[in-house]
Amino acid sequence: MPILRAPLVTLLATTLLGLGTASLPSEPHLTPAASYLPRLVARGRAPTAALLAHTPSAAGHGSYRSTGPGIRYADRFRAGSITKTFVATVVLQLAGEGALRLSDPVERFLPGLIRGHGNDGRRLTLRALLSHTSGLYDYTDDTSAHPVSAIAAIRTATAHRPMHAPGTYAYSNTNYAVLGLVVRRVTGHSYATEIRRRIITPLRLTGTSLPGARTTLPEPHGRAYTRDPAGGGLSDVTVLDPRTAGAAGELISTLADLNRFYAALLGGRLLPSAQQTALLNTEAAHGTYGLGIYPQRLSCGVTVWGHNGHIQGSYVRTAATRDGRHTLTYRIDTDTLDEADTLEPALLEAEFCAT
């Protein structure tokens, strides 16, 4: 499956070859995917790459490797569209509590907001938003607009005609901007507050946060870079305004926290049975996407579930087995990875297809 690329990096931009020795003393083994990290630097032109894998046989911190000192085990980084899985989990929990139904139209919660230019919130369900089958124009594709609120982002989107008729899969950050507002309308709290209350605190994700208007990263953190497509030079973009990303991509996290979150989610610890089934149901998106999470079938027959995050200065991908017992998160400290369509599948296959 092609790598999903949320184009938040476009909107936010104003713009070795041997393994390093970075590892933890408690590391029980060298994860199979670690041998692929240098390729992300040599062929993918990432300044630094790192990964953390947890397997049923691993203990403690799992298996960590990096290509150099640019990324450390405990570093906080921007996780981009992985935010969507957190938002989807909250929405599904609310469905399990009877506070909403996935078949509810957006109009029920946000009357009059999705209107004009062929857009109609009366025809769009929450399930369509979660599965990216609403057809709503992706506000990040309008490079003339720089919205710093969900309302502004949605108005940018509804100034354009839909990308497709409802029912066709088309990845759009606008869907999750809308869902963030739905969470507020249903709970009386922001999606950030609900994510903290329902996910971050119970799972003790001590390195995970939603920054709001904060432009800096919490300590500890490394640097984040974006590459000039013309000259190829790197610019430091560690400091940026995350409000444009919002519910579609503002999350800050760590390698360990993302592994823990997806292990809990896929392991059935965050959702009731019916909502767990809905989470992994890809029928609406014709096998491409579930509800805030997507599958990738590897050549060995294993299917992994997870999400990626692509935002200015950062690219991250988490993948896990269906039961959540084997998880892998890797990241680079830039938003561009050359040969990503071949490098990422090779890394995942090395990890999950190893015998």
Side-chain angles (χ1 to χ4, degrees), residues 150-312:
I151 293 291
I154 294 163
R155 286 176 177 163
T156 295
T158 55
H160 298 265
R161 294 194 62 79
M163 297 184 292
H164 301 282
T168 300
Y169 172 78
Y171 192 93
S172 173
N173 289 290
T174 305
N175 292 314
Y176 280 75
V178 177
L179 286 167
L181 292 180
V182 170
V183 170
R184 177 180 284 279
R185 180 58 59 92
V186 171
T187 67
H189 306 125
S190 69
Y191 67 85
T193 296
E194 290 298 317
I195 287 173
R196 284 190 289 268
R197 184 173 74 86
R198 294 168 176 270
I199 302 173
I200 293 175
T201 299
L203 294 182
R204 298 176 183 172
L205 305 181
T206 56
T208 300
S209 61
L210 293 112
R214 176 177 173 170
T215 61
T216 57
L217 288 168
E219 294 290 350
H221 68 81
R223 311 307 299 173
Y225 303 97
T226 194
R227 191 177 299 279
D228 181 352
L234 292 171
S235 299
D236 191 313
V237 290
T238 307
V239 174
L240 63 80
D241 187 343
R243 289 178 297 170
T244 296
E250 74 161 298
L251 192 79
I252 292 169
S253 195
T254 67
L255 296 171
D257 277 7
L258 292 183
N259 276 357
R260 183 179 302 174
F261 166 64
Y262 281 97
L265 179 62
L266 289 166
R269 290 190 281 138
L270 293 176
L271 296 174
S273 177
Q275 283 66 47
Q276 188 78 6
T277 298
L279 173 79
L280 304 176
N281 186 340
T282 64
E283 183 178 351
H286 308 290
T288 302
Y289 199 91
L291 303 184
I293 194 170
Y294 65 86
Q296 184 168 345
R297 186 172 175 82
L298 306 178
S299 64
C300 59
V302 172
T303 296
V304 292
W305 291 82
H307 214 289
N308 66 357
H310 191 196
I311 194 169
Q312 191 176 27

Side-chain angles (χ1 to χ4, degrees), residues 1-354:
M1 181 189 121
I3 296 174
L4 300 173
R5 287 185 175 81
L8 290 170
V9 58
T10 302
L11 181 61
L12 289 169
T14 55
T15 8
L16 150 99
L17 298 177
L19 279 174
T21 59
S23 61
L24 295 175
S26 60
E27 180 184 323
H29 68 289
L30 178 64
T31 182
S35 63
Y36 280 77
L37 283 182
R39 303 185 191 193
L40 303 183
V41 175
R43 290 169 49 191
R45 295 203 303 159
T48 309
L51 64 78
L52 178 66
H54 286 88
T55 64
S57 60
H61 290 288
S63 182
Y64 171 75
R65 276 291 187 273
S66 78
T67 58
I71 299 176
R72 297 160 297 182
Y73 175 85
D75 276 353
R76 277 69 168 164
F77 55 85
R78 301 188 193 279
S81 286
I82 284 179
T83 310
K84 293 180 175 68
T85 313
F86 283 73
V87 171
T89 300
V90 170
V91 173
L92 288 167
Q93 286 182 346
L94 291 170
E97 295 161 11
L100 53 79
R101 296 171 298 178
L102 301 187
S103 59
D104 286 336
V106 175
E107 186 78 4
R108 175 186 169 190
F109 306 100
L110 305 170
L113 182 61
I114 311 295
R115 293 290 178 88
H117 297 92
N119 299 285
D120 189 348
R122 295 169 297 187
R123 299 174 57 212
L124 303 180
T125 66
L126 301 185
R127 186 185 299 276
L129 298 177
L130 288 162
S131 62
H132 294 292
T133 56
S134 71
L136 288 172
Y137 178 87
D138 190 334
Y139 72 89
T140 67
D141 285 346
D142 187 339
T143 56
S144 67
H146 302 279
V148 293
S149 72
I151 293 291
I154 294 163
R155 286 176 177 163
T156 295
T158 55
H160 298 265
R161 294 194 62 79
M163 297 184 292
H164 301 282
T168 300
Y169 172 78
Y171 192 93
S172 173
N173 289 290
T174 305
N175 292 314
Y176 280 75
V178 177
L179 286 167
L181 292 180
V182 170
V183 170
R184 177 180 284 279
R185 180 58 59 92
V186 171
T187 67
H189 306 125
S190 69
Y191 67 85
T193 296
E194 290 298 317
I195 287 173
R196 284 190 289 268
R197 184 173 74 86
R198 294 168 176 270
I199 302 173
I200 293 175
T201 299
L203 294 182
R204 298 176 183 172
L205 305 181
T206 56
T208 300
S209 61
L210 293 112
R214 176 177 173 170
T215 61
T216 57
L217 288 168
E219 294 290 350
H221 68 81
R223 311 307 299 173
Y225 303 97
T226 194
R227 191 177 299 279
D228 181 352
L234 292 171
S235 299
D236 191 313
V237 290
T238 307
V239 174
L240 63 80
D241 187 343
R243 289 178 297 170
T244 296
E250 74 161 298
L251 192 79
I252 292 169
S253 195
T254 67
L255 296 171
D257 277 7
L258 292 183
N259 276 357
R260 183 179 302 174
F261 166 64
Y262 281 97
L265 179 62
L266 289 166
R269 290 190 281 138
L270 293 176
L271 296 174
S273 177
Q275 283 66 47
Q276 188 78 6
T277 298
L279 173 79
L280 304 176
N281 186 340
T282 64
E283 183 178 351
H286 308 290
T288 302
Y289 199 91
L291 303 184
I293 194 170
Y294 65 86
Q296 184 168 345
R297 186 172 175 82
L298 306 178
S299 64
C300 59
V302 172
T303 296
V304 292
W305 291 82
H307 214 289
N308 66 357
H310 191 196
I311 194 169
Q312 191 176 27
S314 178
Y315 179 80
V316 58
R317 170 76 158 100
T318 299
T321 51
R322 169 64 183 80
D323 59 6
R325 298 183 68 210
H326 186 174
T327 58
L328 169 74
T329 298
Y330 90 86
R331 62 168 291 236
I332 57 176
D333 51 0
T334 185
D335 45 63
T336 54
L337 180 67
D338 291 358
E339 302 184 36
D341 290 336
T342 56
L343 288 173
E344 180 165 292
L347 186 149
L348 294 180
E349 295 201 357
E351 180 65 29
F352 292 98
C353 295

